[in-house]
Amino acid sequence: MQPGAIIAAAIEILDEQATNPGPLDLILQRYVRARRYIGSKDRSSLGDHVFGAVRRQGRLDWRLRAAGAEPGPRARILADAVLTGGASMYDLSAMTADAQYGPPPLTTEELGWLGSLGPPPLAGAGMPLQAELECPDWAWPGFNAAFGDHAADELAALREPAPLDLRVNTLKTTHEHALAEIRAAGFEARGMPYSPYGIRLMERVALGRLPGLLDGAVDPQDEGSQLVAMMVGAQPGESVVDFCAGAGGKTLALAADMQNKGRLFALDSDARRLERSAPRYAKAGVDNVQRREISTGADSWLKRRKRRFDRVLVDAPCTGVGAWRRNPDARWSRKSPPLSELVALQAVILERAARLVRPGGRLVYATCSMLPEENEAQIDAFLSSHPDFRLDPPARFPAPLTGPYLKLTPAQHGCDGFFAAALTRTEVEKAPEENSAETDPSD
C-alpha cells in the first residue's frame, strides 16, 4: 500500500469506530479481513497509525485545539503524521493528492491549522499535565486519590504499549520446555518476575508463529491476570466458580491449577461470551469446565447452590483503566457504564457471588482497575455488612501484597493494573433448608 492509502485506511477505521463504537482491535481485524490484498507489513503499518493516534489522542487533541482545529479521526491522523511521524506539509499534500488511493485533498482550513501546529515534540509547551498523561476527566480524581504524587508515574506507564505475556498451560507442558521452544524458534523471551507460569516476549510477534499457541500449550494472558487466578488457590478435586468468566482466560488458569480434577463452573450473563470460550477450553485440553449462563436478576441455579463451593472468583466488570496499555481506545470511547453505575453493579455482583461460598471457603474479588472506588472501597463496604467474611490474603504468594491486597501497576510491577482481595467465610451454620436436598452442584 502507498503511504496515502495507509493514511486513508487509518482515517476510515477511526471513522468507523466513531460511528459504531466497539473495540478498536476488532474493527481493525474486520477491515483487514475484508481486504485480502493488505499484506503483513502493511497491516503492521496500519495498526501503528491507528493505535498510535488513539494512544496519543489526549496530546493530539490539545495540540489541535491550540492550532484552531476541531479534533476528529482525520485531524488526529494528519496531526500525528506531522508531530510523531516526521511528515512535512509537502508529504501530506502528496499523500492526499493520490486521487485513487489517498484521502481527499487537504482543504484550505486544514492547511491553515497544519501550519499552526508547530514542530515536534508532541507534548508542547503549555500542555496541561492531564493531557500530557492521556487521562480523561472522569478518571483524573481517582488516580490522584489512589497514587498522590506518583499518579503521573502510573499514568505515564499506562501510555506505553504492553508486552506480549503468555501463560504456560501446565496440563500440556512445562514452563522450561515452553520457554526453550519459543527461544529456539528465534524469539527473544524470558520468564516473568512474579508468575511461575509466565513468559514475556520482548518483541512484537505474530501470534500464529509462536510455538505452543495453536495447540494450547501456551495462552496469551497478562502476568497480572495470572496472579489474580493464582490468588484463588484452586486445588484438584474442589468445586470452584469463575463468576464473571467472560472469554475464559482466568477459567483456563484455574483449570490448570486444579489439574483438570474437580468441578469448575464458568458463569456469565452473556451466553455469546461463554460460547466463544468453548474452543479455548478444548484446545487447552480442559474438560472439567461447565459453562452456564446466569440471569442478571433472580436465578434459580444460583439460589439452589448457596454455600456449596470451595472457591469463587469474581472478576468484576470495571472501568478497565489498568488495561489501557492494551486497549488505549477504552480511555476515550467508554463502552462501560459511568463509574457510579459500575460501582453499584460491582456491589450487586459481589453480593450474589458471596452466597455461593461455603463456610471456610474463599472468595476473591478482582478488577483490572486502579481506582479506589472499584477496589478497596468495595471491599470495605462488603465487609461492613458481612461479618461472616474476613480478609484473608495468602500466606505465601509470588507477588508482593500491599497490606492485605494484591495491587499491581505497570509502573511498579511491569504488568497491567490489577486489584484483588481474598476473603474467607468464617461463619459455620447449617445450610438453608431450601438446599437440604441438594447433593451435587453439577446438576
Side-chain angles (χ1 to χ4, degrees), residues 44 66 105 130 140 142 159 235 248 262 286 321 328 334 336 381 388 397 417:
S44 178
Q130 184 176 340
W140 185 247
R159 290 185 314 193
Q235 301 295 315
V286 168
V321 300
R334 292 288 305 280
S336 58
D388 55 333
F397 198 68

Coordinates of all heavy atoms in Angstrom, one line a residue, residues 44 66 105 130 140 142 159 235 248 262 286 321 328 334 336 381 388 397 417:
S44 N 0.8 -4.1 9.7 CA 1.6 -3.6 10.9 C 1.6 -2.1 10.8 O 1.4 -1.4 11.8 CB 3.0 -4.2 10.8 OG 3.7 -3.7 11.9
A66 N -5.2 23.9 20.1 CA -4.3 25.1 20.2 C -4.0 25.7 18.9 O -3.8 26.9 18.7 CB -3.0 24.7 20.9
P105 N -8.1 15.6 -0.8 CA -7.0 16.6 -0.7 C -7.2 17.5 0.5 O -8.3 17.7 1.1 CB -7.2 17.4 -2.0 CG -7.9 16.5 -2.9 CD -8.8 15.6 -2.1
Q130 N -2.6 16.7 32.6 CA -3.7 15.7 32.4 C -3.7 15.3 30.9 O -3.8 14.1 30.6 CB -5.0 16.3 32.8 CG -6.2 15.3 32.7 CD -7.5 15.9 33.2 OE1 -7.5 16.8 34.0 NE2 -8.6 15.3 32.7
W140 N -9.3 11.3 36.3 CA -8.2 12.1 36.9 C -8.3 12.1 38.4 O -7.3 11.9 39.1 CB -8.3 13.5 36.3 CG -7.2 14.4 36.7 CD1 -7.3 15.5 37.5 CD2 -5.8 14.3 36.4 NE1 -6.1 16.1 37.6 CE2 -5.2 15.4 37.0 CE3 -5.0 13.4 35.7 CZ2 -3.8 15.7 36.9 CZ3 -3.7 13.6 35.5 CH2 -3.0 14.7 36.2
G142 N -9.7 9.9 40.5 CA -9.4 8.6 41.1 C -7.9 8.3 41.1 O -7.4 7.7 42.1
R159 N 0.5 4.8 29.2 CA 0.6 5.3 27.9 C 1.3 4.4 26.9 O 1.1 4.4 25.7 CB 1.3 6.7 27.8 CG 0.5 7.8 28.4 CD 1.3 9.1 28.1 NE 2.7 9.0 28.4 CZ 3.5 10.1 28.5 NH1 3.1 11.3 28.4 NH2 4.8 9.9 28.7
Q235 N -7.6 -25.9 44.0 CA -6.9 -27.2 44.2 C -7.7 -28.3 43.5 O -8.9 -28.3 43.2 CB -6.9 -27.6 45.7 CG -6.2 -26.5 46.6 CD -4.7 -26.4 46.2 OE1 -4.0 -27.4 46.1 NE2 -4.2 -25.2 46.1
G248 N -12.8 -16.5 29.2 CA -12.3 -17.7 29.8 C -10.8 -17.8 30.1 O -10.3 -18.8 30.5
G262 N -12.0 -32.1 39.6 CA -12.9 -31.4 40.3 C -13.9 -30.7 39.4 O -14.0 -31.0 38.2
V286 N -8.8 -28.8 28.5 CA -9.5 -28.7 29.7 C -10.9 -29.3 29.6 O -11.6 -29.0 28.6 CB -9.7 -27.2 30.1 CG1 -10.7 -27.0 31.2 CG2 -8.4 -26.6 30.4
V321 N -9.3 0.6 33.6 CA -8.2 1.5 33.5 C -6.8 0.8 33.5 O -5.8 1.3 33.0 CB -8.2 2.7 34.5 CG1 -9.5 3.5 34.4 CG2 -8.1 2.2 35.9
P328 N -6.0 1.1 24.4 CA -5.9 2.5 24.5 C -7.2 3.3 24.2 O -7.4 4.3 24.7 CB -4.7 2.9 23.6 CG -4.6 1.8 22.6 CD -5.0 0.6 23.4
R334 N -15.7 5.1 26.0 CA -16.2 4.3 27.1 C -17.3 3.4 26.6 O -18.4 3.8 26.1 CB -16.8 5.2 28.2 CG -15.7 6.1 28.9 CD -14.9 5.2 29.8 NE -15.6 4.4 30.7 CZ -16.1 4.9 31.9 NH1 -16.0 6.2 32.2 NH2 -16.8 4.1 32.7
S336 N -18.3 1.0 28.8 CA -18.9 0.6 30.1 C -19.7 1.7 30.6 O -19.6 2.9 30.2 CB -17.8 0.2 31.1 OG -16.9 1.3 31.3
A381 N -17.0 -1.8 52.1 CA -18.4 -1.8 52.1 C -19.0 -3.2 52.3 O -19.9 -3.5 53.1 CB -19.0 -1.2 50.9
D388 N -19.5 -12.3 58.5 CA -19.1 -13.7 58.4 C -18.0 -13.9 57.4 O -17.6 -15.0 57.1 CB -20.3 -14.6 58.0 CG -21.0 -14.1 56.8 OD1 -21.0 -12.9 56.5 OD2 -21.6 -14.9 56.1
F397 N 2.9 -16.1 48.6 CA 2.4 -15.6 47.3 C 3.6 -15.1 46.5 O 4.5 -14.4 47.1 CB 1.3 -14.6 47.4 CG 0.5 -14.3 46.2 CD1 -0.4 -15.3 45.8 CD2 0.6 -13.1 45.5 CE1 -1.1 -15.1 44.6 CE2 -0.2 -12.9 44.4 CZ -1.0 -13.9 43.9
G417 N -2.6 -3.1 35.3 CA -3.1 -2.7 36.7 C -4.2 -3.7 37.1 O -5.2 -3.8 36.4

